Amino acid sequence: MGDRDSAYKYILDREGDHHHHHQDHHYQDHEVIKEQDRLLPIANVGRIMKQILPPKAKISKEAKETMQECVSEFISFVTGEASVRCNREKRKTVNGDDVCWALASLGFDNYAEQLRRYLQRYRETEGERSSSSHNQTVGASDSVNDRRKMINLFGIDGED
């Protein structure tokens, strides 16, 4: 349980440079974080939500804001847990393997496995791209295809 407490403390102090301050000041620093810096952009959250719904479905502002709050907190929670691992291993950079480990350690084994498969495919794709010409630019259709691959990987079929 101590590791999760550390992860939570990390979430409260994402900047990582206030560890030497008094505990009350620590919480004050967290409260100063602007909402737009703490939350994913609501337009992005809405677009992701829309991909799973039937084409004519509507999403209320309240539903988008609720989801925005949830996914932002979830990302912070998982990142905090991954950071605990990095700190324990005296590393400064959180990588994809750390995120997978954090998901599994927090009990999200199904997501961890899906993310490991995605990470493996991503690394294979990046290896192929780096071995091909470096002068090529990625077109808009590539980003659309990447998004579709990600949606399919997580079992979301936006075509229904």
Side-chain angles (χ1 to χ4, degrees), residues 1-7 80-94 98 101-102 105-106:
M1 198 58 136
D3 286 345
R4 288 205 176 102
D5 291 341
S6 297
E81 188 74 3
S83 177
V84 168
R85 180 183 187 192
C86 289
N87 288 337
R88 206 178 308 136
E89 296 176 3
K90 301 196 182 339
R91 293 185 290 116
K92 292 184 178 183
T93 304
V94 174
D98 297 321
W101 175 87
S105 75
L106 293 168

Side-chain angles (χ1 to χ4, degrees), residues 28-83:
Q28 289 171 356
D29 288 343
H30 172 64
E31 293 169 359
V32 173
I33 296 173
K34 294 178 194 169
E35 189 166 289
Q36 71 254 24
D37 294 337
R38 188 178 66 80
L39 301 174
L40 287 173
I42 193 125
N44 294 1
V45 172
R47 272 194 299 277
I48 292 167
M49 291 174 74
K50 199 115 173 92
Q51 290 174 348
I52 190 69
L53 296 173
K56 295 182 181 185
K58 304 262 188 250
I59 306 169
S60 72
K61 180 180 178 188
E62 178 188 42
K64 289 177 193 174
E65 289 173 351
T66 302
M67 186 62 73
Q68 177 189 38
E69 193 68 46
C70 290
V71 298
S72 298
E73 183 62 31
F74 182 75
I75 290 167
S76 294
F77 186 54
V78 173
T79 303
E81 188 74 3
S83 177

Side-chain angles (χ1 to χ4, degrees), residues 27 30 83 109 119 122 132 147 150:
Y27 287 110
H30 172 64
S83 177
D109 298 315
L119 190 55
Y122 173 80
S132 68
R147 186 180 308 160
M150 185 74 163

